[in-house]
């Protein structure tokens, strides 16, 4: 039985041998995951799609140099994150054209699904406030902290995989995730009536 990493490596070798259809299989396998990650970094769906497409183009062009020292998806995620970071830097140099807050996006927080099943208006409002608060806290995080927490909590990657993707030591990854969780927890405390001196 082959692992994902082994099957990806076989597809990479087929692409390197000139078989373009093998790359289509890699795109099919990772497009949704990469889109989910990039969408959490860049909040405009159209821009996120462009970044994902650009990431796959960069991956295809760079695949001949891919040696397999890391897993393909780790390498691809790094390309996607770097492309998203470059986009954000480019956008920050431009003057903003809109200051609208995306309230619709705040309701799309997937992890709040269980909370939204409660039927009382009060609990539905509380769930919405929690989701909005978590999304706002995530958006306020510096990019490195946001990326680390997204890779861990949304993508479910290990600390080692995140370390490879972000090109930093595991201790730095742990620190970034801890700091991101602390920021989110601080924002949630008032909504959940958790005392400041109490950890959860």
């Amino acid at each position: 039985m082959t692992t994902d990493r082994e099957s990806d490596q076989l597809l990479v070798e087929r692409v390197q041998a000139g078989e373009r259809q093998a790359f289509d299989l890699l795109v099919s396998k990772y497009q949704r995951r990469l889109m989910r990650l990039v969408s959490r970094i860049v909040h405009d769906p159209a821009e996120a799609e462009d970044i994902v497409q650009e990431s796959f183009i960069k991956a295809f062009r760079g695949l001949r140099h891919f040696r397999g020292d890391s897993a393909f998806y780790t390498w691809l995620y790094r390309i996607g994150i770097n492309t998203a970071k470059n986009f954000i830097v480019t956008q920050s140099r431009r003057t903003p054209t809109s200051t609208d807050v995306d309230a619709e996006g705040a309701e799309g927080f997937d992890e709040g699904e269980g909370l939204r099943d409660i039927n009382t208006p009060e609990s539905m409002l509380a769930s919405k406030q929690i989701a909005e608060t978590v999304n706002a806290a995530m958006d306020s995080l510096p990019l490195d902290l946001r990326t680390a927490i997204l890779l861990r909590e949304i993508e479910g990657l290990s600390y080692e995989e995140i370390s490879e993707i972000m090109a930093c030591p595991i201790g730095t990854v742990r620190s970034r995730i801890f700091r991101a969780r602390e920021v989110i927890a601080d924002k949630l405390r008032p909504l959940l009536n958790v005392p400041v001196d109490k950890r959860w």
Side-chain angles (χ1 to χ4, degrees), residues 159-160 169-179:
Y159 289 110
E160 292 79 12
I170 290 176
T172 302
V173 169
R174 290 182 189 277
S175 172
R176 288 175 180 171
I177 291 170
F178 175 81
R179 290 185 358 234

Side-chain angles (χ1 to χ4, degrees), residues 80-135:
I81 289 168
N82 287 339
T83 304
K85 282 182 179 180
N86 290 341
F87 170 79
I88 290 170
V89 168
T90 302
Q91 289 300 105
S92 68
R93 290 182 186 150
R94 296 181 184 167
T95 55
T97 57
S98 172
T99 57
D100 294 339
V101 175
D102 186 8
E104 298 294 324
E107 293 181 36
F109 185 68
D110 294 336
E111 279 62 31
E113 206 56 52
L115 296 174
R116 285 193 284 271
D117 290 340
I118 302 170
N119 293 327
T120 67
E122 294 84 8
S123 62
M124 290 172 64
L125 177 61
S127 296
K128 183 177 178 184
Q129 288 174 332
I130 289 170
E132 288 173 350
T133 301
V134 169
N135 281 320

Side-chain angles (χ1 to χ4, degrees), residues 4-184:
D4 268 354
R5 184 174 179 159
E6 292 168 337
S7 65
D8 287 352
Q9 187 59 37
L10 291 173
L11 288 171
V12 166
E13 289 169 6
R14 287 171 49 192
V15 174
Q16 289 171 332
E19 189 180 331
R20 288 185 77 140
Q21 293 82 7
F23 190 73
D24 292 342
L25 294 172
L26 289 168
V27 170
S28 295
K29 184 174 182 179
Y30 291 110
Q31 187 168 20
R32 288 184 66 194
R33 288 175 68 181
L34 188 59
M35 182 64 178
R36 185 173 58 219
L37 174 66
V38 169
S39 293
R40 299 292 290 188
I41 297 171
V42 177
H43 301 291
D44 181 339
E47 296 292 354
E49 282 182 35
D50 289 346
I51 290 167
V52 168
Q53 184 175 8
E54 185 178 340
S55 299
F56 277 112
I57 290 169
K58 288 178 178 179
F60 182 76
R61 289 180 180 157
L63 209 51
R64 66 176 178 252
H65 302 294
F66 181 74
R67 297 182 312 269
D69 295 338
S70 63
F72 172 77
Y73 74 87
T74 303
W75 181 71
L76 178 64
Y77 275 24
R78 181 182 284 179
I79 292 170
I81 289 168
N82 287 339
T83 304
K85 282 182 179 180
N86 290 341
F87 170 79
I88 290 170
V89 168
T90 302
Q91 289 300 105
S92 68
R93 290 182 186 150
R94 296 181 184 167
T95 55
T97 57
S98 172
T99 57
D100 294 339
V101 175
D102 186 8
E104 298 294 324
E107 293 181 36
F109 185 68
D110 294 336
E111 279 62 31
E113 206 56 52
L115 296 174
R116 285 193 284 271
D117 290 340
I118 302 170
N119 293 327
T120 67
E122 294 84 8
S123 62
M124 290 172 64
L125 177 61
S127 296
K128 183 177 178 184
Q129 288 174 332
I130 289 170
E132 288 173 350
T133 301
V134 169
N135 281 320
M138 293 283 286
D139 290 346
S140 73
L141 292 172
L143 188 56
D144 286 342
L145 298 184
R146 185 177 351 145
T147 302
I149 195 81
L150 287 172
L151 290 172
R152 180 69 179 166
E153 301 300 337
I154 306 298
E155 295 300 318
L157 298 181
S158 70
Y159 289 110
E160 292 79 12
E161 291 168 323
I162 297 168
S163 172
E164 281 184 51
I165 290 169
M166 297 187 74
C168 63
I170 290 176
T172 302
V173 169
R174 290 182 189 277
S175 172
R176 288 175 180 171
I177 291 170
F178 175 81
R179 290 185 358 234
R181 286 177 178 157
E182 287 294 306
V183 168
I184 294 167

